[in-house]
């Protein structure tokens, strides 16, 4: 089964007029659903119907929905828009615009359907594809009689490679003539497989990994790590928003932005360059596990592919996963980069992912490809004075939660204490870690040690905090305000400070 939406054979144009007959949409479920027990199948169908209602409602489409055992019939006020929306609902195998034809006999059915297809088969070879659903006659009867009625208008019958197809489903007392049909994503309805937290950088891999588990019925939220000058949070959010808008119609997807910049700084200062990337991944797993457990989610999802980079060897993945307290799902583990990029193109995230800069490497030389677990644990223990378990829990608790579908980077309102210029008379405090660049401003107070040092500051002064991106300075300014200081965060970080000084 294709894992993306693809157009299939067009039987007859959907904009052809059929006066006197009701038009609707016929949705077929993913093939795997049919293998489930009756109880599970009913549960999946209920979830699919609910997801369809939410998706159409979000798009402003009014519709009546009639579920049946193996399909769903929908009558909407905008069939074309409804069809487009439904091709992005997980659990949907195909979406066809249909004409509902009531009939009293086979002869009556042929008399009503044949005029619909005379123009369609004119001068072309054709085949009748009839499917019987409790009809009082066989599909062969329909094919024979309807084919005979259309034969004089055509170039003949060709059952193997017809130039035109006449497709219909025939039930008791009514038939559905299939017009234009589209493929859906298949898979299972969202929400039937539980909840998971996807580690999301916005590159090609993480959106495809999230999409693949979404296709298996898992509802996902995302965690994006702010690595200070070593990450692109805004670009990752733009990709996340594209994924949510395309593939979660009617459902809410949240992104959790967690600040791990102090971890990067501590790794640069205290850890052998060979092991830095591995320890950073362990910190990501650990923070992700804390957040997943807080949210009640069952697993983490990553875009890791076996052997793609040095940290993704079998040993390094195993060493990293020891830091996780929930299962780690890797839907791309057996995929190569080209396969991942092709899937990104098909699901519509490729172009926005191409704008994302890769997270910079904090290793100054080769990365260990077969890490010794004891060596990793020893190196990790040296970080506890800066970024221990309690610090990780605090930074997760202080995360920024974003509703992706409504997120607009240009419309975000900053708190009053976030400013775009240096207040007159303010003490400029550089809260970046020592490894993040030369000091700027009047005072250097690394974020990783700031909480313990705040009480030494003069409460009569005003302070402007500066970091790489503005995220850490915003968190610390909020903390200082709570302690009675007059503090501000400089929006845009050190780059904005340089612009302000030059101006």
């Amino acid at each position: 089964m294709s894992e993306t939406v693809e157009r299939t054979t067009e039987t007859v144009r959907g904009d052809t007029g059929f006066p006197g007959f009701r038009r609707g949409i016929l949705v077929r479920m993913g093939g795997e659903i049919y293998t489930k027990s009756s109880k599970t199948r009913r549960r999946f169908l209920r979830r699919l119907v609910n997801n369809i209602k939410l998706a159409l409602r979000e798009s402003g489409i009014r519709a009546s929905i009639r579920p049946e055992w193996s399909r769903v019939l929908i009558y909407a006020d905008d069939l074309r828009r409804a069809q487009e929306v439904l091709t992005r609902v997980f659990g949907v195998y195909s979406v066809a615009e249909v004409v509902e034809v009531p009939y009293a006999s086979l002869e009556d059915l042929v008399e009503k359907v044949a005029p619909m297809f005379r123009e369609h088969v004119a001068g072309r070879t054709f085949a009748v594809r009839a499917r019987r659903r409790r009809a009082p006659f066989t599909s062969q009867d329909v094919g024979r009689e309807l084919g005979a009625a259309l034969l004089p208008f055509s170039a003949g019958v060709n059952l193997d490679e017809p130039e035109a197809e006449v497709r219909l489903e025939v039930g008791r007392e009514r038939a559905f003539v299939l017009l234009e049909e589209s493929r859906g994503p298949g898979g299972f309805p969202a929400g039937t497989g539980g909840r998971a937290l996807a580690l999301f950088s916005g590159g090609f891999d993480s959106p495809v990994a999230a999409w693949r588990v979404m296709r298996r019925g898992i509802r996902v939220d995302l965690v994006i790590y702010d690595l200070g000058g070593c990450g692109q949070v805004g670009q990752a959010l733009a990709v996340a928003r594209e994924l949510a808008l395309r593939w979660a119609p009617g459902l809410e997807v949240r992104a959790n932005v967690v600040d791990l910049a102090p971890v990067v700084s501590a790794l640069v200062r205290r850890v052998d360059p060979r092991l830095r990337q591995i320890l950073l991944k362990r910190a990501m797993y650990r923070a992700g596990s804390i957040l997943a457990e807080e949210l009640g989610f069952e697993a983490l999802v990553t875009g890791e592919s076996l052997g793609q980079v040095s940290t993704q060897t079998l040993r390094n993945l195993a060493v990293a996963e020891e830091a996780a307290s929930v299962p780690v799902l890797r839907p791309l583990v057996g995929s190569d980069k080209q396969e991942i990029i092709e899937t990104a193109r098909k699901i519509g995230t490729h172009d926005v992912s191409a704008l994302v800069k890769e997270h910079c490497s904090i290793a100054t030389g080769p990365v260990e490809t077969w890490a010794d677990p004891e060596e990793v644990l020893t190196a990790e223990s040296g970080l506890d004075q800066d970024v221990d378990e309690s610090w990780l829990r605090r930074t997760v608790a202080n995360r920024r939660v974003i509703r992706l579908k409504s997120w607009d980077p240009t419309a975000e309102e900053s708190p009053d204490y976030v400013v775009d210029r240096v207040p007159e008379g303010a003490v400029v405090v550089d809260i970046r870690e020592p490894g993040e660049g030369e000091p700027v401003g009047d005072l250097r107070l690394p974020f990783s040690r700031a909480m313990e040092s705040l009480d030494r500051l003069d409460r009569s002064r005003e302070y402007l905090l500066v970091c790489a991106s503005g995220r850490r300075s915003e968190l610390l300014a909020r903390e200082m305000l709570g302690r009675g200081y007059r503090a501000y965060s400089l929006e845009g970080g050190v780059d904005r400070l340089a612009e302000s000084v030059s101006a």
Side-chain angles (χ1 to χ4, degrees), residues 156-318:
V157 173
N158 185 335
L159 298 179
D160 297 323
E161 296 181 355
E163 296 173 302
E165 286 189 338
V166 177
R167 300 177 61 196
L168 64 163
E169 289 193 1
V170 185
R172 185 179 294 119
E173 298 180 346
R174 64 174 181 165
F176 291 96
V177 175
L178 277 65
L179 308 181
E180 188 174 350
E181 185 173 25
S182 303
R183 285 288 297 274
F188 298 144
T192 58
R195 300 295 299 265
L197 184 68
L199 277 58
F200 201 87
S201 69
F204 295 118
D205 301 342
S206 55
V208 174
W211 183 87
R212 284 189 174 173
V213 297
M214 290 165 70
R215 186 172 179 261
R216 303 307 294 171
I218 295 176
R219 289 279 305 276
V220 301
D221 278 351
L222 313 178
V223 58
I224 297 173
Y225 292 117
D226 184 348
L227 304 180
C230 217
Q232 301 293 329
V233 173
Q235 292 177 343
L237 284 170
V239 180
R241 181 174 182 270
E242 190 71 19
L243 180 71
L245 288 173
R246 286 178 178 268
W247 294 106
L251 305 175
E252 184 170 62
V253 182
R254 291 183 173 92
N256 301 269
V257 180
V258 176
D259 183 23
L260 288 190
V263 174
V264 173
S265 177
L267 289 170
V268 170
R269 288 184 288 111
R270 299 181 182 279
V271 173
D272 185 327
R274 296 180 304 110
L275 302 177
R276 289 174 184 169
Q277 298 288 149
I278 299 170
L279 265 65
L280 177 59
K281 182 166 291 188
R282 284 174 60 90
M284 290 178 173
Y285 280 4
R286 188 173 285 115
S289 297
I290 292 170
L291 180 53
E293 290 173 348
E294 176 186 323
L295 297 174
F297 290 4
E298 289 86 2
L300 300 178
V301 180
T302 78
E304 293 158 329
S305 171
L306 191 60
Q308 186 179 112
V309 294
S310 300
T311 56
Q312 295 177 17
T313 63
L314 188 59
R315 166 62 68 83
N316 286 353
L317 289 176

Side-chain angles (χ1 to χ4, degrees), residues 62-202:
R62 291 180 299 173
S64 63
I65 300 172
R66 188 167 70 203
E68 297 185 353
W69 181 236
S70 60
R71 59 189 188 170
V72 181
L73 288 168
I74 299 166
Y75 300 97
D77 61 358
D78 189 334
L79 293 177
R80 282 305 179 94
R81 284 184 58 226
Q83 190 171 4
E84 193 279 328
V85 169
L86 294 170
T87 57
R88 295 181 284 108
V89 173
F90 292 108
V92 171
Y93 176 76
S94 68
V95 182
E97 189 175 346
V98 297
V99 178
E100 184 175 349
V101 181
Y103 69 90
S105 64
L106 177 57
E107 292 74 17
D108 183 40
L109 176 63
V110 171
E111 183 178 336
K112 290 175 177 176
V113 172
M116 299 180 184
F117 288 94
R118 286 172 183 167
E119 184 178 339
H120 182 61
V121 304
R124 297 197 285 177
T125 59
F126 76 100
V128 175
R129 312 292 193 197
R131 184 177 180 183
R132 177 178 177 271
R133 294 176 57 84
R134 298 185 299 276
F137 35 78
T138 68
S139 56
Q140 289 83 2
D141 292 335
V142 177
R144 181 174 58 253
E145 296 301 322
L146 183 55
L150 292 172
L151 186 59
F153 304 94
S154 71
V157 173
N158 185 335
L159 298 179
D160 297 323
E161 296 181 355
E163 296 173 302
E165 286 189 338
V166 177
R167 300 177 61 196
L168 64 163
E169 289 193 1
V170 185
R172 185 179 294 119
E173 298 180 346
R174 64 174 181 165
F176 291 96
V177 175
L178 277 65
L179 308 181
E180 188 174 350
E181 185 173 25
S182 303
R183 285 288 297 274
F188 298 144
T192 58
R195 300 295 299 265
L197 184 68
L199 277 58
F200 201 87
S201 69

Side-chain angles (χ1 to χ4, degrees), residues 461-472:
R461 301 295 302 273
E462 203 169 56
Y463 297 93
L464 176 73
L465 309 182
V466 181
C467 65
S469 64
R471 175 60 182 150
R472 282 172 289 165

